[in-house]
Coordinates of all heavy atoms in Angstrom, one line a residue:
K141 N -5.8 -8.3 -9.6 CA -4.9 -8.8 -8.6 C -4.1 -7.6 -8.0 O -4.2 -6.5 -8.4 CB -3.9 -9.8 -9.2 CG -4.6 -11.1 -9.7 CD -3.6 -12.1 -10.1 CE -2.8 -11.7 -11.4 NZ -1.9 -12.8 -11.8
T142 N -3.3 -7.9 -7.0 CA -2.4 -6.9 -6.4 C -1.5 -6.3 -7.5 O -1.1 -7.0 -8.4 CB -1.5 -7.5 -5.3 OG1 -2.3 -8.2 -4.4 CG2 -0.7 -6.5 -4.6
N143 N -1.3 -5.0 -7.4 CA -0.5 -4.2 -8.4 C -1.1 -4.2 -9.8 O -0.4 -4.2 -10.8 CB 0.9 -4.7 -8.4 CG 1.7 -4.5 -7.1 OD1 1.4 -3.5 -6.4 ND2 2.7 -5.3 -6.8
S144 N -2.4 -4.3 -9.9 CA -3.0 -4.2 -11.2 C -3.6 -2.8 -11.5 O -4.2 -2.7 -12.6 CB -4.2 -5.3 -11.3 OG -5.2 -5.0 -10.4
G145 N -3.4 -1.9 -10.6 CA -3.8 -0.5 -10.9 C -5.2 -0.2 -10.5 O -5.8 0.8 -10.9
K146 N -5.8 -1.1 -9.7 CA -7.2 -0.9 -9.2 C -7.4 0.5 -8.6 O -8.4 1.2 -8.9 CB -7.7 -2.0 -8.3 CG -7.8 -3.4 -8.8 CD -8.4 -4.3 -7.8 CE -7.7 -4.4 -6.5 NZ -6.4 -5.1 -6.6
S147 N -6.6 0.8 -7.6 CA -6.7 2.1 -6.9 C -6.6 3.3 -7.8 O -7.3 4.3 -7.6 CB -5.6 2.1 -5.8 OG -5.9 1.1 -4.8
T148 N -5.6 3.2 -8.7 CA -5.4 4.3 -9.7 C -6.7 4.5 -10.5 O -7.2 5.7 -10.7 CB -4.2 4.1 -10.6 OG1 -3.1 3.9 -9.8 CG2 -4.0 5.2 -11.5
T149 N -7.2 3.4 -11.0 CA -8.5 3.5 -11.9 C -9.6 4.1 -11.0 O -10.3 5.0 -11.4 CB -8.9 2.1 -12.4 OG1 -7.8 1.7 -13.3 CG2 -10.2 2.2 -13.2
L150 N -9.8 3.6 -9.8 CA -10.9 4.0 -8.9 C -10.8 5.5 -8.6 O -11.7 6.2 -8.7 CB -10.8 3.2 -7.6 CG -12.0 3.4 -6.7 CD1 -13.3 2.8 -7.3 CD2 -11.7 2.7 -5.3
N151 N -9.5 5.9 -8.3 CA -9.3 7.4 -7.9 C -9.5 8.3 -9.1 O -10.0 9.4 -9.0 CB -8.0 7.6 -7.2 CG -8.1 7.2 -5.7 OD1 -8.8 7.8 -5.0 ND2 -7.3 6.2 -5.3
A152 N -9.1 7.8 -10.3 CA -9.3 8.6 -11.5 C -10.7 8.7 -11.9 O -11.2 9.8 -12.3 CB -8.5 7.9 -12.7
L153 N -11.5 7.7 -11.6 CA -13.0 7.7 -11.8 C -13.6 8.7 -10.8 O -14.4 9.6 -11.2 CB -13.6 6.3 -11.5 CG -13.8 5.4 -12.7 CD1 -14.3 4.1 -12.2 CD2 -14.7 6.0 -13.8
V154 N -13.2 8.7 -9.6 CA -13.7 9.6 -8.6 C -13.4 11.0 -9.0 O -14.2 11.9 -8.9 CB -13.1 9.3 -7.2 CG1 -13.4 10.4 -6.2 CG2 -13.6 8.0 -6.6
N155 N -12.1 11.3 -9.4 CA -11.7 12.6 -9.8 C -12.5 13.1 -11.0 O -12.9 14.2 -11.1 CB -10.2 12.6 -10.2 CG -9.7 13.9 -10.4 OD1 -9.8 14.8 -9.6 ND2 -9.0 14.2 -11.6
H156 N -12.8 12.2 -12.0 CA -13.6 12.5 -13.1 C -15.0 12.9 -12.7 O -15.6 13.9 -13.2 CB -13.7 11.4 -14.1 CG -14.4 11.7 -15.4 ND1 -13.8 12.5 -16.4 CD2 -15.7 11.5 -15.8 CE1 -14.7 12.6 -17.4 NE2 -15.9 12.1 -17.0
I157 N -15.6 12.1 -11.8 CA -17.0 12.4 -11.3 C -16.9 13.8 -10.6 O -17.8 14.6 -10.8 CB -17.5 11.4 -10.3 CG1 -17.6 10.0 -11.1 CG2 -18.8 11.7 -9.7 CD1 -17.8 8.8 -10.1
N158 N -15.9 14.0 -9.8 CA -15.7 15.2 -9.0 C -15.7 16.5 -9.9 O -16.2 17.5 -9.6 CB -14.4 15.1 -8.2 CG -14.3 16.3 -7.2 OD1 -15.2 17.0 -6.9 ND2 -13.0 16.5 -6.8

Side-chain angles (χ1 to χ4, degrees):
K141 297 189 291 185
T142 304
N143 293 333
S144 61
K146 295 190 299 293
S147 296
T148 302
T149 297
L150 188 67
N151 279 296
L153 269 177
V154 171
N155 189 52
H156 183 81
I157 296 166
N158 188 19

